[in-house]
Amino acid sequence: IRLTLRRGDAAISENFYLRGIEENNFRAIRTLPKVTVEASTSTERQGSEWVLTTELHNASPQPALMVSVKAVRTQTGDRILPALYSDNYVALMPGERRTIVTRLADADTRGERPGIAVGGFNVAAPPR
């Protein structure tokens, strides 16, 4: 169930809830197949800050649940903290797209270029 609060055409808030056919029975979620979420990220340095814009796309015929992004150093793969995300842990229905903007301080990159790693409950790990 997806609930969206809107003011005109602008979404103010969005919540996603899982509901089983039987009350409190969520076992079927474990049988969801792994899906590939396509992701492309553009990085831009703005003064002492990096802005990463990630476009997520669920091209599969199955939902992708709890899709998350995390800022990482591209050479070591270490997580960059703190990072501010416009959204995170999103559900993507088949064919759905979502854009997430991440902001972080250049000093926290430790001299490495920042990137984004994508994961999720039933999201297949990208090939290395």
Side-chain angles (χ1 to χ4, degrees), residues 29-96:
I29 293 170
R30 288 187 235 140
T31 65
L32 283 173
K34 293 284 185 187
V35 298
T36 300
V37 172
E38 299 168 356
S40 62
T41 301
S42 64
T43 28
E44 180 184 357
R45 178 124 180 234
Q46 296 179 352
S48 63
E49 182 178 71
W50 285 92
V51 178
L52 294 83
T53 304
T54 304
E55 175 80 21
L56 300 171
H57 177 231
N58 180 6
S60 80
Q62 300 294 326
L65 301 180
M66 294 186 65
V67 179
S68 64
V69 297
K70 66 178 179 178
V72 295
R73 296 178 186 93
T74 54
Q75 291 174 321
T76 61
D78 293 340
R79 189 160 191 188
I80 300 172
L81 293 170
L84 299 175
Y85 303 94
S86 62
D87 205 349
N88 216 346
Y89 291 96
V90 298
L92 295 173
M93 294 298 106
E96 188 173 11

